[in-house]
Amino acid sequence: MEKKEPVYKINVLHVANVINSDQSNHVLKYHQGEKCNSPTYSYLITGENIPPMLVDTGIMERFPQIMRRLGMDGVILKTYEEALGELGYKLEDIKVILHTHLHIDHAGNDDLFPNAKIIMPRKELMFAVAGIMDEQYPAEYITYLVEQSHVPGRMRLIDCDINIAPGIRLEINEAHTWGSMNICVNTRKGLAIMCGDVIYDETLQCHENDVFLDVAEQCKNPIQGFGDRPTGNNWNNWAAKMGVVDVMSKADVVLPSHDPRVVQLYGYEI
Ligand SMILES: [Zn+2]
Ligand SMILES: [Zn+2]
């Protein structure tokens, strides 16, 4: 008999917006000098036989100057207490935090969740601490992150792709940062991939992609990510392109962290 994988629920938590960000941060060389606003989502994964898991912990409100140094602003829309409360959960209920990566808009509130184990790729922590992307991993933020997570047993640093439950797989993806992580979850809509900033804007990067239009037109499924439009903000252009292809070739449901298309397509529950 075929073994059926469990199906999980994913809730979208629209906790903040990033405003006045340059368009070319999102899509390489696209509309340089033009500003754009985008949502910042966390995701809550729930289901039978797993503890509630939170994907990313949003923007660090305490250090607004960090966002400003990067030429953008973070606007907090609701606290995690409020966002989770709307779904019937408390901060203490979160037992696992999964980080797509450690940029300042993705791991700013880990300290709110004292009962959570934090799982992420070891090389993302190495990359963040090394400061290779400068102000995107600024010293005061990384110091906070290491201090508050430096509790015996709290961190689970992974070195390879793993299944943490049947139907929940963590895959290391070098696309946006060296240790970005895709969180792949079996849902009633198929395989959902929470890909962090590996894709910023699925429409621009994968659907209105005119470079390989002739090739795309010949494909059975015209929705193809050829990876010729990488995210503008990345540590390695080639890896960024391949990351887009990787997600688009596997996912039934693409769940980036800053793409309003998510809520337009699925609402707040997948
Ligand atoms: Zn990022
Ligand atoms: Zn981000």
Side-chain angles (χ1 to χ4, degrees), residues 158-170:
I158 64 168
D159 295 302
C160 60
D161 300 348
I162 58 163
N163 294 320
I164 53 170
I168 303 181
R169 184 168 176 79
L170 308 180

Side-chain angles (χ1 to χ4, degrees), residues 28-88:
L28 188 67
K29 296 180 182 168
Y30 183 77
H31 291 194
Q32 208 153 10
E34 286 181 27
K35 302 292 184 187
C36 66
N37 302 333
S38 55
T40 295
Y41 300 136
S42 274
Y43 294 101
L44 178 70
I45 309 167
T46 53
E48 281 178 37
N49 306 319
I50 61 159
M53 301 184 185
L54 185 65
V55 175
D56 286 341
T57 61
I59 294 172
M60 172 174 265
E61 196 173 12
R62 273 157 287 187
F63 295 141
Q65 72 276 13
I66 298 177
M67 297 290 279
R68 218 149 294 147
R69 290 202 302 257
L70 288 167
M72 59 189 80
D73 283 300
V75 179
I76 309 295
L77 300 178
K78 54 180 85 163
T79 64
Y80 278 90
E81 194 172 14
E82 290 164 345
L84 289 167
E86 288 169 9
L87 299 168

Side-chain angles (χ1 to χ4, degrees), residues 100-106 124 133 136-137 176-177 180 196-198 200 233 257-258:
T100 61
H101 62 304
L102 292 179
H103 275 159
I104 53 167
D105 50 330
H106 293 262
E124 179 64 7
M133 284 178 107
Q136 294 187 49
Y137 298 112
H176 173 62
T177 62
S180 282
D197 296 353
V198 170
Y200 271 115
N233 179 19
S257 296
H258 301 291

Side-chain angles (χ1 to χ4, degrees), residues 197-251:
D197 296 353
V198 170
I199 295 173
Y200 271 115
D201 188 319
E202 188 191 330
T203 306
L204 283 176
Q205 290 178 261
C206 308
H207 299 269
E208 293 174 3
N209 184 329
D210 52 5
V211 180
F212 286 130
L213 203 61
D214 51 336
V215 181
E217 276 169 359
Q218 289 170 39
C219 288
K220 253 196 230 159
N221 176 5
I223 301 168
Q224 294 277 349
F226 286 98
D228 51 313
R229 279 194 178 174
T231 51
N233 179 19
N234 69 65
W235 76 293
N236 177 318
N237 260 339
W238 177 248
K241 292 178 183 190
M242 289 303 100
V244 176
V245 174
D246 179 48
V247 172
M248 291 303 289
S249 66
K250 289 189 290 204

Side-chain angles (χ1 to χ4, degrees), residues 107-203:
N109 293 289
D110 285 11
D111 58 315
L112 297 178
F113 304 97
N115 296 337
K117 304 279 185 202
I118 301 170
I119 307 177
M120 68 177 140
R122 184 186 311 276
K123 62 186 188 181
E124 179 64 7
L125 189 61
M126 290 160 60
F127 188 65
V129 171
I132 289 167
M133 284 178 107
D134 302 319
E135 283 301 327
Q136 294 187 49
Y137 298 112
E140 70 263 48
Y141 161 71
I142 294 301
T143 303
Y144 146 83
L145 198 69
V146 172
E147 276 174 1
Q148 64 83 32
S149 58
H150 197 270
V151 176
R154 182 144 151 95
M155 304 282 271
R156 293 282 189 274
L157 299 173
I158 64 168
D159 295 302
C160 60
D161 300 348
I162 58 163
N163 294 320
I164 53 170
I168 303 181
R169 184 168 176 79
L170 308 180
E171 295 183 349
I172 300 171
N173 180 336
E174 296 186 348
H176 173 62
T177 62
W178 190 42
S180 282
M181 182 169 82
N182 290 336
I183 296 131
C184 310
V185 174
N186 199 34
T187 71
R188 65 195 167 94
K189 291 190 187 300
L191 182 69
I193 301 186
M194 284 156 274
C195 61
D197 296 353
V198 170
I199 295 173
Y200 271 115
D201 188 319
E202 188 191 330
T203 306

Side-chain angles (χ1 to χ4, degrees), residues 91-104:
L91 299 174
E92 310 86 84
D93 295 333
I94 301 300
K95 299 293 193 297
V96 175
I97 292 170
L98 303 167
H99 278 314
T100 61
H101 62 304
L102 292 179
H103 275 159
I104 53 167

